[in-house]
């Protein structure tokens, strides 16, 4: 029989892989709560149209990366490639667009990208959306949150890059100027950039192609097309946060999703390699109306959890572990009663009951190979006089024979 493997780019996460996940997720939740942000859980499946109308028809995400299929009712549905569109869909459905809300979410996202270090087909994001706030204070708040994440998770060599895309008018004018500039160089561009020039010219600015980057050196600059107030916002953000985080204005930052207008930003770290962005976000004031809702100015961010975990310095508390061993000749209800009492007396210890039917000797041999500090043994003799043996697995000291009450006392103090 042939084996069935997991899908490419969709790794299982098991035991040691997850050691840093729980503390990082907990820390993020703490940060979100400290900014008074509320959780929202949306489904993993949405109608494909939601992403066409938000992330955009011409974006790589919708064009090449989305997992779409028809359901049994022949409707095109998709695994979510990101969280913002679902949040706005949900807010419109709940008729919440006329009030302010601060929302966070966490969970798996799916993009059919070429897997490599830091890039998966199933990955996880935690995101925040600040809804109902015009450009201004909320732009400061979202950068403040980005700084908190970098500082609280002790990310080294992190940098926040910020840019402003202007309103939809200046975005159109700048696109036209960029097309006019790039048209004479069209044949020199690689196939991917030629395609971008045709479908979504701003994305050419994002090109990793060295030749394209050289051509772009003479290109018109976005900051000449945006308003004085937009340039002022960038300067003020840099001024306000440069004492707590490395932050720079980068006029070539455009981001790969179509819904952005206004401030866009990314947090990167040199320690991540080629896929160096661990946070991406920006303002998207027109998304709600594009999805049939009311006008809803908004700004948000999403954190790539896999990337964040690989660079976060978080202290993992080492799990305390004790093995519980019984003699094989009796399935002892008493053992399960004692184990329950022990677990509730000190829930910070992992009490690992050996569930096999092997001999006491074999069970002890196995316990010695684990990272457990002690074995609690309930042999035939202990069973009859309601005592237990506590044996250290790490130190060469004499084992103790204790009453159950004394054992609970001992267990509480470990
Ligand atoms: P994004 O830049 O597409 O933005 O994704 C945010 C972050 O998710 C990236 O910076 C990266 O860390 C992580 N990420 C993206 N794709 C992958 C992948 N294939 N494998 C591993 N990690 C990945 C958004 O998704 C927007 N929804 C952010 C946003 C929220 N804008 C406004 N509100």
């Amino acid at each position: 029989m042939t084996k069935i493997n997991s899908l490419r780019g969709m790794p299982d996460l098991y035991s040691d892989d997850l050691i840093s996940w729980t503390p990082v997720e907990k820390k993020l939740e703490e940060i979100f709560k400290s900014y008074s942000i509320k959780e929202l859980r949306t489904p993993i499946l949405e109608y494909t149209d939601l992403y066409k109308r938000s992330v955009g028809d011409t974006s790589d995400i919708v064009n090449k990366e989305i997992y779409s299929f028809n359901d049994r009712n022949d409707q095109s549905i998709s695994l979510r490639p990101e969280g913002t569109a679902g949040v706005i869909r949900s807010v419109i459905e709940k008729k919440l667009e006329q009030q302010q809300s601060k929302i966070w979410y966490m969970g798996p996202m799916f993009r059919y990208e070429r897997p490599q270090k830091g890039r998966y087909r199933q990955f996880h994001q935690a995101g925040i959306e600040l809804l109902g706030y015009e450009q201004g204070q909320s732009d400061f708040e979202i950068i403040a949150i980005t700084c908190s994440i970098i500082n609280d998770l002790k990310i080294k060599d992190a940098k926040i890059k910020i840019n402003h895309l202007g309103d939809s008018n200046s975005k159109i004018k700048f696109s036209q100027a960029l097309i006019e500039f790039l048209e004479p160089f069209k044949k020199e561009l690689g196939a991917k950039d030629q395609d971008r020039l045709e479908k979504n010219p701003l994305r050419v600015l994002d090109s990793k192609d060295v030749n394209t980057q050289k051509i772009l050196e003479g290109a018109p600059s976005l900051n000449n097309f945006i308003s004085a107030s937009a340039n002022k916002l960038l300067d003020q953000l840099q001024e306000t946060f440069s004492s707590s985080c490395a932050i720079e204005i980068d006029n070539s930052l455009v981001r790969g999703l179509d819904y952005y207008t206004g401030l866009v930003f990314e947090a990167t770290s040199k320690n991540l390699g080629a896929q160096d962005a661990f946070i991406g976000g920006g303002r998207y004031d027109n998304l709600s109306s594009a999805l049939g809702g009311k006008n809803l100015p908004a700004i948000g961010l999403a954190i790539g959890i896999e990337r964040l975990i690989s660079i976060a310095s978080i202290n993992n508390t080492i799990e305390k572990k004790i093995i519980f061993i019984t003699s094989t000749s009796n399935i002892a209800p008493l053992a399960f009663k004692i184990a329950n009492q022990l677990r509730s007396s000190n829930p910070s210890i992992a009490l690992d009951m050996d569930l096999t039917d092997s001999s006491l000797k074999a069970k002890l041999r196995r316990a010695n190979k684990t990272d457990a500090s002690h074995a609690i043994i309930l042999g035939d003799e202990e069973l009859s006089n309601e005592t237990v043996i506590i044996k250290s697995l790490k130190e060469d000291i004499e084992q103790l024979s204790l009453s159950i009450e004394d054992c609970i006392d001992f267990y509480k103090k470990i």
Side-chain angles (χ1 to χ4, degrees):
M1 200 64 109
T2 49
K3 272 191 308 167
I4 300 175
N5 295 326
S6 67
L7 272 65
R8 202 169 158 236
M10 298 197 181
D12 296 314
L13 299 167
Y14 173 64
S15 186
D16 285 358
D17 305 330
L18 290 166
I19 284 177
S20 303
W21 279 72
T22 319
V24 164
E25 285 175 342
K26 244 168 94 184
K27 188 82 220 165
L28 288 175
E29 272 193 54
E30 260 172 50
I31 298 172
F32 300 161
K33 283 182 187 151
S34 76
Y35 280 85
S36 190
I37 305 173
K38 303 266 176 355
E39 185 181 4
L40 171 66
R41 298 187 188 191
T42 61
I44 285 168
L45 284 171
E46 299 272 3
Y47 289 116
T48 305
D49 271 350
L50 175 68
Y51 300 111
K52 285 192 177 162
R53 279 161 63 182
S54 55
V55 174
D57 262 351
T58 59
S59 67
D60 283 353
I61 294 179
V62 168
N63 247 333
K64 304 185 202 142
E65 297 165 5
I66 200 158
Y67 281 88
S68 295
F69 51 94
N70 283 8
D71 68 7
R72 287 173 192 277
N73 206 16
D74 227 18
Q75 284 189 298
S76 179
I77 54 176
S78 297
L79 287 172
R80 63 179 182 196
E82 58 99 58
T84 311
V87 167
I88 301 304
R89 191 264 315 132
S90 167
V91 164
I92 295 171
E93 221 171 321
K94 292 187 178 59
K95 300 191 170 47
L96 292 175
E97 321 102 279
Q98 264 161 336
Q99 63 190 60
Q100 282 84 24
S101 28
K102 300 176 182 174
I103 289 172
W104 70 266
Y105 52 89
M106 212 180 303
M109 308 288 160
F110 304 83
R111 296 183 193 177
Y112 194 87
E113 295 193 80
R114 200 168 48 78
Q116 63 178 85
K117 183 173 171 280
R119 191 162 71 192
Y120 308 97
R121 290 182 175 170
Q122 174 172 324
F123 59 100
H124 297 77
Q125 281 187 346
I128 296 171
E129 315 296 347
L130 306 178
L131 307 177
Y133 304 95
E134 300 282 353
Q135 171 172 297
Q137 305 205 51
S138 53
D139 298 55
F140 281 76
E141 182 88 330
I142 207 84
I143 300 297
I145 298 170
T146 308
C147 264
S148 293
I149 294 167
I150 291 172
N151 291 331
D152 291 4
L153 289 147
K154 303 189 182 68
I155 312 288
K156 293 202 191 79
D157 297 317
K159 186 162 68 183
I160 304 175
K161 294 191 273 188
I162 55 174
N163 193 20
H164 201 293
L165 300 179
D167 54 20
S168 27
N169 226 344
S170 45
K171 213 168 148 183
I172 292 168
K173 279 195 188 139
F174 176 63
S175 286
Q176 278 162 352
L178 197 63
I179 294 170
E180 272 167 38
F181 170 82
L182 285 172
E183 224 29 79
F185 298 101
K186 193 169 174 180
K187 290 212 174 85
E188 294 173 44
L189 299 175
K192 194 170 174 186
D193 287 335
Q194 285 194 19
D195 191 48
R196 283 173 162 172
L197 180 59
E198 234 161 70
K199 294 186 178 143
N200 191 352
L202 285 190
R203 297 280 294 136
V204 182
L205 294 179
D206 234 12
S207 173
K208 301 270 184 288
D209 188 315
V210 187
N211 189 43
T212 308
Q213 282 174 357
K214 204 152 181 63
I215 294 170
L216 284 171
E217 280 171 16
S221 175
L222 182 58
N223 65 340
N224 294 327
F225 288 78
I226 60 174
S227 63
S229 63
N231 274 314
K232 189 170 163 208
L233 176 74
L234 291 178
D235 290 338
Q236 281 180 328
L237 285 170
Q238 195 180 25
E239 216 178 286
T240 309
F241 293 103
S242 57
S243 58
S244 46
C245 271
I247 177 164
E248 68 179 39
I249 299 170
D250 177 352
N251 288 127
S252 67
L253 180 70
V254 286
R255 313 254 312 120
L257 301 96
D258 282 0
Y259 50 60
Y260 291 117
T261 51
L263 181 72
V264 285
F265 61 95
E266 272 179 8
T268 59
S269 167
K270 278 198 287 226
N271 303 325
L272 279 171
Q275 303 302 318
D276 64 353
F278 62 96
I279 299 179
R283 177 163 286 283
Y284 52 94
D285 290 347
N286 303 327
L287 182 55
S288 170
S289 37
L291 294 176
K294 303 220 163 64
N295 176 42
L296 181 74
I299 189 163
L301 62 76
I303 307 149
I305 305 270
E306 282 82 355
R307 294 186 196 173
L308 182 71
I309 280 168
S310 70
I311 49 173
S313 317
I314 222 137
N315 288 336
N316 302 312
T317 42
I318 294 163
E319 196 185 53
K320 283 192 233 155
K321 184 164 163 170
I322 289 184
I323 311 273
F324 199 115
I325 295 174
T326 56
S327 58
T328 44
S329 47
N330 298 292
I331 293 178
L334 181 63
F336 289 92
K337 274 190 201 152
I338 299 172
N340 264 351
Q341 282 175 296
L342 292 174
R343 286 194 184 102
S344 49
S345 75
N346 187 351
S348 72
I349 298 176
L351 185 62
D352 185 359
M353 179 81 87
D354 185 325
L355 302 173
T356 64
D357 289 335
S358 44
S359 69
L360 258 181
K361 219 167 149 190
K363 286 179 177 174
L364 254 177
R365 215 177 312 127
R366 217 175 9 247
N368 268 312
K369 287 186 191 149
T370 66
D371 53 358
S373 63
H374 295 80
I376 296 178
I377 304 163
L378 187 71
D380 291 341
E381 202 182 316
E382 289 73 34
L383 198 59
S384 62
N385 50 18
E386 300 212 348
T387 57
V388 290
I389 290 173
I390 297 193
K391 185 176 166 43
S392 171
L393 298 174
K394 298 291 169 228
E395 290 170 275
D396 192 13
I397 48 174
E398 214 167 299
Q399 61 189 33
L400 301 171
S401 173
L402 298 179
S403 68
I404 292 163
E405 286 72 39
D406 288 347
C407 174
I408 292 172
D409 250 12
F410 174 89
Y411 195 88
K412 273 186 195 158
K413 291 179 193 139
I414 284 180

